[in-house]
Amino acid sequence: MASTAAELARRKARYEEGAGSWANAVPFNQQDFEKLRSKCLQTGSLFCDPTFPANWDSLGYNQLGRYSSKTIGVEWKRPTELSSDPQFIVDGAKRTDICQGVLGDCWLLAAIASLTLDPQILNRVVPCGQSFSSQYAGIFHFQLWQYGEWVDVVVDDRLPTRDGKLLFVHSAEGGEFWSALLEKAYAKVNSSYEALSGGSSIEGFEDFTGGISESYNLKEAPPFLFNLMRKALSLGSLLGCSISISSSYETEAITGQKLVKGHAYSITAAQQVHHFGSPVELLRIRNPWGQVEWTGAWSDNSKEWDGVEAGVKKKLDRSADDGEFWMSYADFLRQFSQLDICNLTPDALSSDDVGRWNYREFEGAWRVGSTAGGCRNYSATFCSNPQFFIRLDDVDDEPHDGEHGCTVLIGLMQKDARRERRFGRDLNTIGFAIYEVPDEFKGRSNVRLGPDVLLRRTAVARSQTFINLREVCERLKLPPGEYAIIPSTFEPHRQGSFILRVFTEKQAHSRPMVEDVIADIHEPDVGPNDVDPHFKHLFGLISGNDSEVSACELQQVLDKVVAQRSDMKTDGFSLHTCRNIISLLDMDRSGKLGLLEFHHLWLKIQKYLEIFKRHDTDDSGTMSSHEMRAALAEAGFQVNSTVIQEIISCYADRSFAVNFDCFIGSLIRLEMLFKMFRILDKNNQGKIQLDLQQWLCLAIN
C-alpha cells in the first residue's frame, strides 16, 4: 500500500514539475552529476560509482558472469591508464568512433552510429563540455529516454579491459572514449553489460530520441509507402534503412554498386521529379561513412539527370561527394531490405520547418488477480484490463494513402525487460485491441467499458499480432470518433508494467478511462420497535449481562453462522475483521455493539451474502478476484483499478480467490475509509489534510 501511494505521489510530482521531460531529465539513481563532480574536484579524488561498481556483477550474470571464460583477465581501467592523451570527442562524433567488442550489442552500435547523423539529438544524449582535461574528475553523464521519461545517467570512467584494450565498444584510433562511456551508461540503466546482448536497433534509437518507431520489410512494402515516407519527413521523423545479411561474413561487404550490407543508412529527403516529362519518385540517402556512394541510376552525375530541368537539379544539390546520393524509389525497394521510421515527440524538434505529431503517453500495469486480464480469448477476465480513451475529431490534411481518416500511431511497450533477464524472466506476449465507445458513454472518461460492450461488440482495430517484443507498434487509419484502447498480455495472470504512447497527426484528446471513486451506501433506518422479539432474545443470549457484543463475541457468532452454510468456503472471520466491523458501527464509542448496532450489522451481512453468492459463479464458495469490481459496485462502491489492486493484494488468497470473510472485511474497511474521509473533508473538496496524530490513528485502524 505504501509503495502504491509513493508511486502516485511520484507521478503527480512529475506532472506538476515537468520532471522527466526532454528539457528536465531526472537524475538516475538520484545521482546529481554536478554535485558529484564538484565534490570530487574539491577532494581531489576520482569518482567511483557505488551504484554500478567495477566488478563482476556489472559485467553480467551468465555468459559474462564471475566464472565465465569470457571474463578471465578482465581489469577495469580509466582512459588515463589506457592512453597518454585520452579524448572524449575529437572533431565531432563519427561512425569510426564506434567499433564492436566482444559483446553482442551490434543493434545498440547501429543506434549509436545513427546519433552521429543528427547533431541536435547527439548533443541531447551526449551533453557537451565533457573532457579529460577541463574539470576532469573521472565522472561523465549521458541522457537517455527510459520508459516514458528522460534520465540523466552518471558513470565513472572505469571501463572493462583485457590486455590493456577495451573489452567492448571502442574507437578505431583507440584514444576516443565517448562511445565506450555511452555504452556503459546504457549498460547501467539495464543492470549489466550482458543485458545488452541481442536486440533491435529500433530499441536503442527510441531510447536515444524518446520517439516511437515503425519497421517495414521492403520485400513486402505496403502501397503508398513512398508517400508515407514523404509525410514522415515533413513531420521531422528520422528514417533509416539497411540491407540484410545472411551471415556475419557479409557485414559491411560492399556490393558492385557501392552499397554496404548490414550497414545503417539514413534517408534525408523524398522528392518527385519529372524525367523527360514523366514523374519519378526519388529518395536522398546518406551513408555515414561518406564517399562510398551508390553508383546506379540517379547517382551523382548519372545520365538520368540529363532529363531533369536545370533548376530542379540545382535545387536537389545532387553532385556533392559527401556520402549522400539520390536513388529511385523503385531501386530502393530492390536494393534495401528494411526501412525504420522513428517518429519524434514534439519537444524533440527545434526546427520550424517541420510539422509535429500530437502526442500522449500513459503508464499502466497488469497485476495478477486484478488488471492482468489477457486477450479477448479469455472472456472471464478480459474486461479487467486497463482502458484508455482517445477522441479523434479531424481527418488528416494530406492523407498519404488517399483515404480520408485520422492517422494514429499506437505503441505498447513493456518495461524493464532487460533488467529482468538476470532473474530468468521472459518478455510477456503483448498486444492491444481498439473498441468504439458507445454513444451513451461518449464525452466521458470516468467510466469503464464492461462485458456488455467488450464481449458483445467487435474490435474496430487491433495490433496485427500478440508478440513477445519490448514494444508492439501499429499505424492505423480510423474515422473520427471516440475509441477505447485495451492493452493486454495474450494470456491472463501475467504480471507487468507498460507505457502506452499515442501519436496522431491532428489534435486529439486521450486519457485513461478511470472511474470516479465514490460510495453510495443506503443505510436502513432501524429503530427499537423494528427489531423482531426473537432477534432481541438471541441477542440477549449472545451479549450477556452487559447487553453488548465485543469483538471476540462477534467473531464467535459469525463463525457459527458461516459454519452452518455448506455454500461458504471460509476458515471463519478474523478478529481483525470483527474489530473493523465494531469500529464502523459503534456509534457510542463503547468498543462494542448494542442491539440496534448489531441489528444493523445483521442486515448488512445478509445483503453482502446475497451479492457474494451472485458472483460466486462456479459455486466454489469463493469469488474470483476479477469479479471484485462488479461485486463492489453492487454493494455501492465504485473504485478504480489502483484501488482494486490494493484490495486484491490485501484480501485475495494465493490463487487470487476471495472467501466470504475477506469479502466482508474489504467492504467494511472501504465503508469505514469513506466514512472517515467524509468527516475530515469538511469543505467537500475531495481532499483532506491530516496532522500526525490523525494520520496514525487512521492508519493503525
Side-chain angles (χ1 to χ4, degrees), residues 355-508:
R356 283 166 169 74
W357 289 94
N358 181 65
Y359 170 71
R360 284 299 304 272
E361 177 185 288
F362 307 100
E363 293 185 75
W366 299 296
R367 294 290 177 259
V368 178
S370 57
T371 57
C375 72
R376 176 62 180 76
N377 295 351
Y378 301 89
S379 57
T381 55
F382 175 63
C383 302
S384 302
N385 285 302
Q387 301 180 10
F388 300 87
F389 167 90
I390 179 171
R391 190 180 82 230
L392 305 172
D393 294 324
D394 302 316
V395 299
D396 303 342
D397 289 332
E398 298 178 9
H400 68 271
D401 54 5
E403 294 183 10
H404 290 289
C406 309
T407 295
V408 185
L409 277 176
I410 297 176
L412 174 62
M413 178 184 291
Q414 48 190 322
K415 289 186 176 182
D416 300 324
R418 293 188 179 274
R419 296 181 68 88
E420 299 290 313
R421 280 185 180 180
R422 65 169 60 226
F423 307 113
R425 296 171 188 158
D426 295 327
L427 286 165
N428 283 318
T429 301
I430 61 172
F432 58 84
I434 301 177
Y435 289 80
E436 188 172 6
V437 175
D439 291 341
E440 62 267 28
F441 295 136
K442 286 181 178 177
R444 299 175 60 189
S445 62
N446 60 342
V447 296
R448 279 181 63 84
L449 302 187
D452 55 329
V453 176
L454 300 182
L455 301 184
R456 297 179 184 176
R457 301 191 180 197
T458 304
V460 297
R462 55 169 53 91
S463 52
Q464 290 187 15
T465 183
F466 278 76
I467 193 167
N468 59 337
L469 293 177
R470 181 175 89 149
E471 184 175 39
V472 172
C473 178
E474 295 288 348
R475 178 185 285 260
L476 304 169
K477 180 71 71 73
L478 297 172
E482 298 187 19
Y483 302 92
I485 306 170
I486 317 293
S488 73
T489 57
F490 181 76
E491 296 178 328
H493 319 306
R494 299 288 181 178
Q495 188 98 345
S497 297
F498 65 85
I499 65 166
L500 181 73
R501 298 187 289 165
V502 180
F503 282 63
T504 55
E505 284 197 14
K506 302 300 287 288
Q507 185 71 28

Side-chain angles (χ1 to χ4, degrees), residues 22-23 118 120-121 124 150 209-211 231-238 342-359 503:
W22 173 277
D118 194 307
Q120 178 192 349
I121 293 175
R124 178 67 177 81
W150 283 92
T209 65
K231 188 71 172 283
L233 288 165
S234 74
L235 290 169
S237 302
L238 304 175
C342 185
N343 303 285
L344 302 184
T345 57
D347 56 358
L349 296 168
S350 60
S351 173
D352 293 329
D353 296 331
V354 296
R356 283 166 169 74
W357 289 94
N358 181 65
Y359 170 71
F503 282 63

